């Protein structure tokens, strides 16, 4: 994250000094360990979605940035929101240079599985506009090649995310100065909120 952090984009939830110490609970490795019993039957996706909605309430300045991005893109509902993550998630090199696979399903899916679902959503709901959140320009090119599909995406320097050292973990590249931390964090947040405002979401749970 960039030096100013991302908190400046959201409403504060606590009236306390940033330096105040708190007791931190032990790390819980499974969603069922952090979901209150009365909500457990709703599942982890429901719980994290509602917690994110509560915590990430954009302030006025960030609302203006979202509105500006929508105006520049021509973001008009109904829209299919699509998130395709191809990058350091798939595999990355740790600080000692070895390959670290974070999960046993660490593979890049390509665009075809997502395109199949876009076609299905288009057929079901009659929506032909897609907002595509991805750091991979090849995914954008593949989407734009689909006939009859209007593809929207944020404009930023994706070469920083897909070029040299792209397989190294993003936090490592930030420390080394290979990426613009402010650009990375702000584009990620805008992607997140534009996906939120889409009518249909297509993505993978590893996203």
């Amino acid at each position: 994250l960039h030096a100013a952090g991302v908190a400046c984009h959201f409403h504060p939830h606590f009236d306390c000094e940033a330096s105040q110490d708190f007791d931190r609970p032990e790390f819980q490795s499974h969603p069922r360990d952090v979901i209150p019993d009365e909500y457990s039957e709703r599942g982890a996706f429901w719980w994290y979605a509602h917690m994110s909605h509560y915590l990430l309430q954009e302030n006025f300045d960030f609302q203006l940035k979202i509105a500006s991005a929508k105006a520049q893109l021509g973001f008009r509902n109904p829209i299919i929101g699509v998130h395709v993550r191809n990058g350091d998630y798939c595999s990355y090199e740790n600080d000692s240079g070895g390959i670290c696979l974070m999960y046993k399903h660490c593979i890049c899916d390509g665009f075809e599985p997502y395109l199949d679902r876009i076609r299905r959503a288009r057929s079901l709901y009659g929506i032909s506009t897609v907002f595509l959140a991805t750091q991979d320009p090849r995914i954008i090119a593949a989407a734009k090649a689909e006939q009859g599909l209007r593809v929207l995406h944020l404009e930023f320097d994706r070469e920083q995310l897909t070029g040299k050292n792209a397989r190294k973990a993003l936090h490592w590249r930030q420390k080394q100065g290979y990426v613009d931390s402010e650009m990375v964090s702000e584009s990620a947040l805008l992607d997140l909120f534009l996906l939120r405002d889409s009518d249909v979401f297509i993505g993978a749970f590893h996203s």
Side-chain angles (χ1 to χ4, degrees):
L1 301 178
H2 64 91
V6 297
C8 58
H9 296 301
F10 306 109
H11 288 295
H13 290 279
F14 307 103
D15 184 15
C16 60
E17 296 294 331
S19 60
Q20 186 174 344
D21 292 330
F22 294 93
D23 292 330
R24 298 184 62 182
E26 292 185 8
F27 176 75
Q28 304 293 334
S29 61
H30 196 279
R32 66 170 174 264
D33 298 325
V34 298
I35 302 174
D37 291 340
E38 58 265 39
Y39 301 118
S40 60
E41 291 185 358
R42 296 180 179 269
F45 185 85
W46 182 93
W47 173 253
Y48 286 124
H50 279 72
M51 287 301 96
S52 297
H53 178 69
Y54 171 72
L55 293 171
L56 304 181
Q57 295 181 27
E58 64 273 29
N59 60 27
F60 181 71
D61 288 342
F62 193 47
Q63 288 176 5
L64 291 179
K65 288 186 177 182
I66 295 171
S68 176
K70 287 183 174 181
Q72 292 177 20
L73 292 173
F75 189 103
R76 294 182 296 274
N77 297 82
I79 286 178
I80 301 170
V82 182
H83 181 216
V84 182
R85 184 177 180 185
N86 281 356
D88 67 338
Y89 171 80
C90 306
S91 65
Y92 67 87
E93 296 179 26
N94 59 27
D95 292 341
S96 63
I99 295 295
C100 173
L101 296 179
M102 290 181 283
Y103 306 103
K104 61 183 178 181
H105 298 301
C106 286
I107 57 174
C108 289
D109 297 322
F111 189 59
E112 194 61 34
Y114 298 87
L115 185 56
D116 288 343
R117 287 159 178 79
I118 290 171
R119 289 168 176 161
R120 182 179 179 186
R122 183 180 176 184
S123 176
L124 284 172
Y125 307 115
I127 305 173
S128 59
T129 300
V130 167
F131 172 71
L132 180 57
T134 183
Q135 78 275 44
D136 192 338
R138 296 170 299 179
I139 298 295
I140 295 173
K144 288 184 174 181
E146 176 72 3
Q147 188 173 4
L149 205 62
R150 178 173 175 254
V151 179
L152 313 178
H153 58 87
L154 294 178
E155 295 287 352
F156 62 90
D157 182 13
R158 288 176 170 81
E159 179 63 24
Q160 292 190 39
L161 301 175
T162 59
K164 182 181 179 182
N165 297 307
R167 290 300 184 191
K168 291 183 180 291
L170 182 57
H171 68 269
W172 181 90
R173 286 180 282 152
Q174 288 177 310
K175 289 181 179 178
Q176 299 300 316
Y178 290 138
V179 297
D180 181 338
S181 295
E182 184 173 358
M183 178 275 291
V184 169
S185 56
E186 186 147 303
S187 64
L189 286 172
L190 284 172
D191 272 341
L192 177 65
F193 279 84
L194 293 177
L195 288 171
R196 177 202 65 179
D197 291 344
S198 300
D199 301 274
V200 177
F201 175 72
I202 297 172
F205 278 101
H206 61 238
S207 294

